[in-house]
Amino acid sequence: MCIGVGVLSAQQKLPFLKAVQQYEKELDASFSYDPAVFGHIQKEFSSNKSLAEFITEAQAQLPVRIERVGENYYTLVLVESTYELTLTDSLASTPINPPFFVLINSNPTDIQLENDKATFTYKPNRSETVIAYAPGYEKKILPFEYLLNHKTLDISLMTQTYLLNDVMIEDFITKGINMDPSNQKISIKVKDLPLLPGETDGDIFASLAALPGITTPDGRPGNLFIRGTAPDQSLILFDNIPMYHRGHYFGTISPYNQKIVNEVEVFRSGYHPRVGGRVGGAVFINTEDNIDNESSYGFGANTLYALGYAKTTLTNKKASLVLGARHSYPTAVRSPKLNAITESVFAATGISDDEGNIGTDVDVTFQDYHAKLIAMPNDKNKITVSGIYSSSDLSYKLIMGAALNQIEGINFENYGVNTEWKCEINPNWSTSIINTLGNYTYSSGSPTPMGETKGENTIKDYNARFELSNSNQPSHDLQLGVDYKLQSSQLKYNNTTDGIINNSAETVFRDDKYQAHTISPFANFSWFTQQFSLQLGLRGSFYSPKQAFYLSPRVQGNYTVNPWLNIKASAGRYHQFLSQVRNLQIGVGGFDNAMWQLATNEQGNVISGSQYMAGFMINQDQWLFDTEVFYKTANNVTYYENLFLDNTSEYFTADNILYGIDTYVRKSFNEATTAWVGYSYGDSKITLDTTNQTTYKSKYVQPHVVYVGSAFQKDRWKLSGVWKYGSGLNAQSLEIAYAQVIYERAQANRPPGAPRAPDPFAEVPERYPNVHSLDLSASYKIPFTNERPWSASFGLSVINVFDTKNLIDRAFRGNPPPPKWVDRNALGFAPNLMVMIEW
């Protein structure tokens, strides 16, 4: 028995750290190491070997180095070691052949293949995420503890059942912006988004303008042209609530509180048939959709507005409430950026003189509020109620025209409520029901010496949608549903005298009110394999004013040629029943404020459009190359005969054709630095529905757009910059052609023998000069700590650093003579400061 106990004692094995501690006692030695790291090593070693033998064995089996640095003094450190990797199919129990990858913080490391062995070198780090991945299989995280204890890695992977996760391109432009080629969706995670050039507040529309194929030709973030289509032809939903305005202050400030937005989904060429009503792109702005485990609050301000938000849990974490608010400052507070916006917005209008100087003060007030309640009574049901209110008020004194020295006011309100119930019927089937109420009102009051002219444009809509989804199948999913809309549009234009004439009579020039029912059944089937995905969608719409049924088929496909190359394509047909009628404006100030109207027999036709896209994407070794060619049509776009609403002008239509290419290259140099270069080419044709079928080019399509940008994010600092260059806008546009017709009519009516001035339209070029600007941003954050339960962010952004005069339009003034042109420039030098405190 004594002999047996002695033999067992001699063969005893101890965990690595226990063995180290035993050598310390037996040899009176000291080992220096981090117990929080080396305590994770569970591999055992025999305790009856010499220290030299122990060191040799430990360094051979573990990613550690044991160095003697003095008499009986040793240090333990982690070192870069060679790992041998074997991947196995968990179901078939067979080896997975290359190509396969090891991703370290989403970046692939080099794998060496020799004698049927795959090896890579790596130094374990607790702050890094290491993932084993093979195409067609789910990614598997390799824990820090596992990499400490094993240098021979035998990893079992589960078969990937959904293509979506396989082809997701992370950090499409920079962190927080991802691309899913299978449905051509770009997803912006607002919380993860670093600083974008020219903004420090996470401005949503400014973020969209950084994407390839999306431009803001006049420099206003709200005037989004998605691959050339006009802003009203792209669908914008905020928690499914339709947004009919482009933003505060004529689209220069996004109308949403970015601190309560969770994700923005962008579709540049086609979208799911569950939604419709537009022939361009789509932008879905989604707020928080999950119940927060902890409450959070924040308050901030920049030179344009102040904002606040609150997110708090309710009823034992079964519900969550989200609140957000923004408000502008008193009109007496005018920051440099607000002044720059004013100069750009009001140039060549009724409040600027012939030299382009603003001749009066502008009072501007804007605000928006949001609330959302999220409730999960159980694991199978979720109920959300979301509401938003947004408004802007402008007033100014006119210094030009018949209403000289009169005060004009402009106001808009856009609000709505959306409720949604999602229910999981069983593991394979789920359903959702939404109900949405929306309202939009744009009004203008223009006093004149004879009274006051008032115009008002109102949109009211109700939307109900039922959807049944089968989404947990390994190779396909299916959505079926029906969408119903009740919409009404009203355009009212009248004049009230001042009591001296007609005893304060009201003259109604126009009071058009129309209502439409739209019933749209839809279906979408997706089929996918490890390399290929195909989506077939169909939306049908019965539109009551036309008593017609419209079919909108859609198809999208993506083929993964290999782990670094994707080929994609899409095609679809779309219909739009509510749009902003071109040239149709109210007010006398001369602003771009086209009115919304339903398509009726009296007011134009339903816009029908088609979209086609083909492209490819290469993503390898921190490089991303993406190219898409597109062709789009928008037929029966309604135009108004005059530039302003009156009681005599008629409607006519035009057909639009747009085509081009978007190319984008991004390089990630390391975890902190990203750089990108983009180039877009686009062109368009507008053919008028007239006897001579006259063709024009779109005013806002720029043939060439180039942008070069970079973002840096490390520790507490964020820096970014972009240089943008683009072709000048089209000078020989429909608006200029219309002004020329009016001028020539006036000249023809001059008395016989009266001298004729030189034709000012002879000097109109084909395009205005090319434009360019440099935008920069920087921010610094004081983070949360255990001792400091709050954080603070400080930011500085500058749009158009060099104050470049970018000409975007010219307005013609023929009265009083002589005829002259007044320039309109994009936003000039516009600095902005921001501070945000959160707890």
Side-chain angles (χ1 to χ4, degrees):
M1 289 179 59
C2 292
I3 294 174
V5 170
V7 171
L8 291 174
S9 177
Q11 295 178 348
Q12 181 181 6
K13 289 190 174 183
L14 298 174
F16 175 75
L17 209 54
K18 292 288 187 182
V20 168
Q21 293 169 353
Q22 178 171 304
Y23 283 115
E24 284 183 318
K25 293 180 181 180
E26 292 179 352
L27 303 177
D28 193 23
S30 295
F31 288 79
S32 176
Y33 55 88
D34 183 354
V37 172
F38 289 89
H40 291 293
I41 299 179
Q42 301 300 320
K43 197 170 188 65
E44 296 183 338
F45 295 87
S46 175
S47 60
N48 64 344
K49 294 183 178 180
S50 67
L51 178 58
E53 292 174 324
F54 168 73
I55 291 175
T56 300
E57 184 179 357
Q59 292 184 154
Q61 299 182 25
L62 302 174
V64 302
R65 183 170 66 242
I66 304 175
E67 293 184 343
R68 182 177 179 180
V69 294
E71 185 72 22
N72 289 341
Y73 187 78
Y74 301 84
T75 60
L76 276 61
V77 294
L78 296 180
V79 294
E80 186 175 78
S81 301
T82 299
Y83 287 85
E84 184 177 327
L85 176 65
T86 302
L87 300 184
T88 305
D89 188 306
S90 61
L91 297 180
S93 299
T94 56
I96 299 174
N97 296 322
F100 45 71
F101 309 92
V102 173
L103 308 178
I104 300 173
N105 287 342
S106 301
N107 300 317
T109 188
D110 291 332
I111 294 181
Q112 304 297 324
L113 299 175
E114 187 176 351
N115 298 327
D116 295 329
K117 290 184 179 181
T119 61
F120 67 96
T121 58
Y122 176 65
K123 176 183 175 181
N125 189 327
R126 282 185 299 176
S127 64
E128 295 180 336
T129 301
V130 182
I131 295 175
Y133 164 70
Y137 293 87
E138 294 183 353
K139 297 177 181 179
K140 189 167 187 177
I141 295 178
L142 306 183
F144 173 70
E145 295 83 355
Y146 182 73
L147 294 170
L148 276 183
N149 288 276
H150 304 85
K151 292 173 69 174
T152 299
L153 309 177
D154 191 354
I155 310 298
S156 177
L157 298 183
M158 292 289 293
T159 302
Q160 177 74 11
T161 56
Y162 287 95
L163 180 67
L164 177 65
N165 293 331
D166 253 357
V167 300
M168 181 68 71
I169 306 300
E170 297 182 350
D171 305 343
F172 178 63
I173 291 180
T174 184
K175 293 181 183 298
I177 302 179
N178 304 322
M179 157 67 87
D180 181 4
S182 64
N183 58 16
Q184 284 98 56
K185 178 182 76 173
I186 298 176
S187 173
I188 302 175
K189 299 290 186 181
V190 177
K191 290 182 179 178
D192 301 330
L193 196 66
L195 209 59
L196 288 178
E199 59 89 17
T200 56
D201 311 300
D203 186 286
I204 296 169
F205 282 168
S207 302
L208 298 181
L211 301 177
I214 300 181
T215 60
T216 55
D218 58 1
R220 304 181 190 180
N223 285 358
L224 292 171
F225 286 75
I226 300 181
R227 289 190 164 151
T229 50
D232 72 295
Q233 294 174 5
S234 292
L235 179 64
I236 298 180
L237 298 178
F238 185 94
D239 278 351
N240 204 61
I241 302 169
M243 294 288 105
Y244 294 110
H245 66 98
R246 294 166 293 173
H248 302 301
Y249 217 164
F250 296 100
T252 55
I253 303 169
S254 292
Y256 315 107
N257 186 341
Q258 63 276 10
K259 298 303 294 186
I260 50 90
V261 174
N262 180 52
E263 181 185 23
V264 181
E265 298 174 299
V266 183
F267 297 86
R268 299 173 297 173
S269 295
Y271 45 89
H272 198 285
R274 70 166 59 93
V275 290
R278 297 291 191 274
V279 296
V283 178
F284 303 145
I285 303 171
N286 306 313
T287 60
E288 296 284 351
D289 200 35
N290 295 311
I291 296 176
D292 291 324
N293 292 324
E294 296 182 357
S295 299
S296 60
Y297 310 91
F299 175 80
N302 61 24
T303 61
L304 298 177
Y305 55 80
L307 66 87
Y309 75 90
K311 303 175 184 179
T312 183
T313 57
L314 306 170
T315 63
N316 197 26
K317 297 186 179 181
K318 289 290 186 179
S320 182
L321 179 64
V322 181
L323 301 172
R326 292 194 311 170
H327 201 290
S328 61
Y329 302 120
T331 56
V333 180
R334 304 189 64 84
S335 66
K337 185 169 184 177
L338 189 63
N339 287 331
I341 292 174
T342 301
E343 291 177 3
S344 176
V345 167
F346 291 98
T349 65
I351 70 169
S352 66
D353 58 25
D354 292 339
E355 303 301 323
N357 300 313
I358 307 300
T360 181
D361 289 334
V362 179
D363 294 335
V364 54
T365 301
F366 58 86
Q367 57 193 324
D368 50 72
Y369 306 96
H370 172 266
K372 186 172 187 178
L373 178 66
I374 310 159
M376 293 186 64
N378 52 53
D379 293 338
K380 294 188 176 182
N381 291 273
K382 177 189 287 187
I383 301 171
T384 60
V385 181
S386 182
I388 187 172
Y389 173 84
S390 181
S391 72
S392 281
D393 290 281
L394 288 169
S395 64
Y396 40 83
K397 180 186 293 186
L398 297 169
I399 67 169
M400 298 292 294
L404 181 66
N405 295 326
Q406 301 298 314
I407 302 296
E408 184 174 75
I410 292 177
N411 167 267
F412 84 74
E413 287 185 334
N414 200 156
Y415 57 85
V417 177
N418 178 73
T419 64
E420 182 171 5
W421 172 39
K422 295 181 179 179
C423 176
E424 181 183 326
I425 302 173
N426 57 46
N428 294 325
W429 290 91
S430 62
T431 185
S432 68
I433 300 174
I434 69 161
N435 285 272
T436 309
L437 287 170
N439 188 92
Y440 169 77
T441 302
Y442 181 97
S443 60
S444 173
S446 306
T448 68
M450 301 300 293
E452 183 177 12
T453 300
K454 293 183 178 179
E456 185 174 276
N457 184 211
T458 302
I459 301 295
K460 295 182 179 180
D461 54 35
Y462 167 72
N463 178 216
R465 184 170 72 227
F466 170 79
E467 182 175 329
L468 187 65
S469 179
N470 178 258
S471 301
N472 285 332
Q473 304 303 316
S475 61
H476 66 273
D477 61 33
L478 174 68
Q479 293 89 40
L480 301 169
V482 61
D483 192 49
Y484 168 75
K485 284 187 173 67
L486 171 61
Q487 296 174 302
S488 67
S489 68
Q490 183 176 16
L491 183 57
K492 188 175 182 180
Y493 192 60
N494 59 16
N495 178 267
T496 304
T497 62
D498 60 3
I500 300 176
I501 302 175
N502 296 330
N503 296 320
S504 300
E506 180 181 43
T507 303
V508 178
F509 295 126
R510 189 72 70 89
D511 190 3
D512 300 332
K513 186 174 183 180
Y514 298 93
Q515 183 172 282
H517 301 268
T518 309
I519 302 175
S520 304
F522 63 87
N524 189 78
F525 177 77
S526 299
W527 174 69
F528 32 80
T529 67
Q530 294 181 8
Q531 289 184 291
F532 183 75
S533 71
L534 178 67
Q535 293 189 44
L536 300 174
L538 180 64
R539 181 182 178 91
S541 297
F542 174 80
Y543 183 62
S544 63
K546 295 289 188 179
Q547 289 293 297
F549 191 81
Y550 303 86
L551 280 177
S552 303
R554 305 169 190 181
V555 59
Q556 294 181 345
N558 180 76
Y559 179 65
T560 305
V561 180
N562 52 49
W564 51 269
L565 175 61
N566 282 280
I567 298 175
K568 50 189 174 179
S570 67
R573 187 147 180 86
Y574 302 82
H575 294 89
Q576 183 166 341
F577 310 105
L578 176 67
S579 63
Q580 284 183 298
V581 176
R582 302 292 175 267
N583 295 346
L584 182 55
Q585 303 178 27
I586 58 177
V588 298
F591 308 107
D592 178 17
N593 54 4
M595 299 295 102
W596 289 90
Q597 288 192 324
L598 286 164
T600 65
N601 294 323
E602 295 83 3
Q603 297 179 169
N605 295 311
V606 174
I607 302 176
S608 60
S610 300
Q611 297 193 43
Y612 306 92
M613 185 277 295
F616 65 92
M617 178 182 293
I618 297 174
N619 184 26
Q620 189 177 32
D621 296 333
Q622 306 304 308
W623 284 92
L624 175 65
F625 182 83
D626 180 65
T627 295
E628 292 185 2
V629 179
F630 65 88
Y631 179 87
K632 306 168 71 171
T633 63
N635 299 327
N636 300 320
V637 179
T638 303
Y639 283 79
Y640 193 62
E641 191 177 46
N642 205 336
L643 284 180
F644 296 97
L645 180 64
D646 59 29
N647 59 346
T648 60
S649 298
E650 300 296 332
Y651 298 92
F652 64 94
T653 60
D655 294 340
N656 295 1
I657 295 176
L658 306 103
Y659 50 89
I661 182 173
D662 296 315
T663 299
Y664 167 76
V665 181
R666 183 219 67 198
K667 168 66 175 176
S668 295
F669 294 95
N670 49 50
E671 281 294 299
T673 308
T674 304
W676 61 88
V677 177
Y679 168 75
S680 295
Y681 168 80
D683 203 355
S684 71
K685 296 179 181 179
I686 302 175
T687 303
L688 302 184
D689 182 20
T690 57
T691 55
N692 58 358
Q693 293 288 294
T694 308
T695 298
Y696 294 87
K697 289 184 178 293
S698 172
K699 175 180 179 179
Y700 289 109
V701 171
Q702 298 169 282
H704 305 283
V705 177
V706 180
Y707 48 94
V708 180
S710 181
F712 175 83
Q713 179 178 352
K714 188 173 184 180
D715 301 328
R716 302 183 179 188
W717 285 98
K718 294 181 180 180
L719 306 171
S720 65
V722 67
W723 176 76
K724 295 180 289 187
Y725 175 89
S727 301
L729 299 184
N730 182 27
Q732 298 180 3
S733 62
L734 274 173
E735 292 83 355
I736 296 297
Y738 180 82
Q740 185 174 5
V741 169
I742 295 177
Y743 175 76
E744 291 175 349
R745 287 175 181 172
Q747 293 298 312
N749 293 329
R750 292 174 63 86
R756 296 179 63 91
D759 183 5
F761 292 89
E763 64 184 62
V764 176
E766 180 179 354
R767 287 193 171 273
Y768 295 125
N770 296 336
V771 297
H772 63 91
S773 68
L774 176 66
D775 301 341
L776 300 175
S777 299
S779 73
Y780 178 82
K781 184 173 183 178
I782 301 175
F784 293 98
T785 65
N786 293 332
E787 297 78 20
R788 184 179 54 248
W790 56 268
S791 71
S793 300
F794 307 90
L796 171 65
S797 65
V798 180
I799 296 176
N800 199 350
V801 173
F802 298 110
D803 197 21
T804 306
K805 302 301 180 184
N806 291 317
L807 180 64
I808 58 174
D809 196 10
R810 279 181 176 149
F812 176 72
R813 286 182 176 173
N815 189 29
K820 60 186 73 68
W821 295 97
V822 182
D823 290 348
R824 288 176 173 167
N825 293 319
L827 199 64
F829 178 77
N832 190 25
L833 291 170
M834 178 275 297
V835 61
M836 190 76 196
I837 299 175
E838 299 173 275
W839 63 94

